Amino acid sequence: GENVEQHPSTLSVQEGDSAVIKCTYSDSASNYFPWYKQELGKGPQLIIDIRSNVGEKKDQRIAVTLNKTAKHFSLHITETQPEDSAVYFCAASRAGNAGNMLTFGGGTRLMVKP
Amino acid sequence: DSGVTQTPKHLITATGQRVTLRCSPRSGDLSVYWYQQSLDQGLQFLIQYYNGEERAKGNILERFSAQQFPDLHSELNLSSLELGDSALYFCASSVSSGTDTQYFGPGTRLTVL
């Protein structure tokens, strides 16, 4: 089955700096890669996703890159703000008619210091 | 607010007991997913239903079962509970079964004493 590894497990940055979180996956057939943000006491919230036919996607301060050859994808947050502090999860799936089973990485606790 | 509702928010029970967790998907979503989040196992996929039928299955224990009803709400049944079943259980929903965004509910925190 799919295995997703995520690094680092904790990341502390100064407000205004950039943050980068990296994930690797094992199943070359995976085709869908979402990123979720989880705040304390809440469910995961999708912040951005990318499909395997795209190499990069950007949404304001957030960008995701995908390298299918190396089987890794990364989340980039620019101009970090204190409200970006949360746990971030990457995930991968081989989505299709047989379902969309997300395999999650272990999570990264991001702390943005004002 | 994702539009996915889960009840109850908290559940405390004893080993050996059986509980039922309930999920209502977003309006119009046909797929429902169940995930377990624990400190040692992280976020793990349990099972997916699409329009009432099981679509994908993860490492769901035999003591656990789920179903999706004609009104599309879903229930996750956990029986013969063990201490290790204590976790957050999340329901998510999506429009269909493929690469659509999965929207997560607020979760049910289960504590087994």
Side-chain angles (χ1 to χ4, degrees):
Chain A
E2 175 68 277
N3 182 50
V4 178
E5 295 199 356
Q6 183 172 346
H7 299 281
S9 56
T10 60
L11 180 59
S12 182
V13 300
Q14 208 65 40
E15 182 178 357
D17 288 350
S18 294
V20 179
I21 302 171
K22 298 183 179 183
C23 290
T24 59
Y25 61 98
S26 61
D27 186 354
S28 55
S30 286
N31 58 6
Y32 177 61
F33 307 91
W35 286 88
Y36 284 85
K37 174 184 180 182
Q38 187 176 23
E39 296 174 319
L40 199 61
K42 297 186 177 180
Q45 177 191 7
L46 181 86
I47 55 171
I48 196 167
D49 58 9
I50 192 167
R51 290 164 176 80
S52 59
N53 57 347
V54 175
E56 185 173 355
K57 185 176 178 181
K58 200 170 180 180
D59 182 4
Q60 299 183 338
R61 295 185 299 110
I62 293 172
V64 58
T65 58
L66 171 65
N67 183 329
K68 285 192 296 181
T69 304
K71 289 190 280 188
H72 68 69
F73 55 115
S74 301
L75 177 72
H76 304 253
I77 306 175
T78 59
E79 300 170 22
T80 54
Q81 301 165 1
E83 50 266 38
D84 293 329
S85 296
V87 179
Y88 291 79
F89 292 95
C90 63
S93 76
R94 187 196 297 194
N97 290 332
N100 187 6
M101 177 179 91
L102 292 178
T103 300
F104 284 87
T108 296
R109 182 172 300 279
L110 174 64
M111 293 170 283
V112 180
K113 294 180 285 188
Chain B
D1 185 357
S2 67
V4 178
T5 60
Q6 290 187 247
T7 55
K9 288 193 77 167
H10 302 279
L11 202 46
I12 300 174
T13 188
T15 54
Q17 295 298 304
R18 172 190 168 96
V19 296
T20 297
L21 313 184
R22 183 188 168 102
C23 168
S24 291
R26 295 186 321 150
S27 177
D29 284 0
L30 298 179
S31 269
V32 169
Y33 310 77
W34 287 97
Y35 291 86
Q36 179 193 59
Q37 186 174 37
S38 61
L39 282 174
D40 53 345
Q41 297 289 329
L43 256 170
Q44 284 205 314
F45 170 79
L46 296 178
I47 198 163
Q48 175 192 357
Y49 278 82
Y50 173 70
N51 205 19
E53 294 189 0
E54 183 183 305
R55 185 55 64 100
K57 204 168 185 176
N59 294 327
I60 186 168
L61 298 172
E62 283 192 16
R63 300 184 286 109
F64 295 2
S65 64
Q67 54 185 326
Q68 185 179 27
F69 295 86
D71 67 352
L72 301 177
H73 92 271
S74 178
E75 292 180 356
L76 179 68
N77 300 295
L78 315 176
S79 62
S80 303
L81 285 168
E82 301 175 0
L83 296 178
D85 297 328
S86 295
L88 270 166
Y89 291 85
F90 288 106
C91 168
S93 73
S94 69
V95 173
S96 66
S97 182
T99 59
D100 296 321
T101 298
Q102 293 185 28
Y103 294 91
F104 280 72
T108 292
R109 180 174 293 280
L110 173 66
T111 302
V112 183
L113 300 175

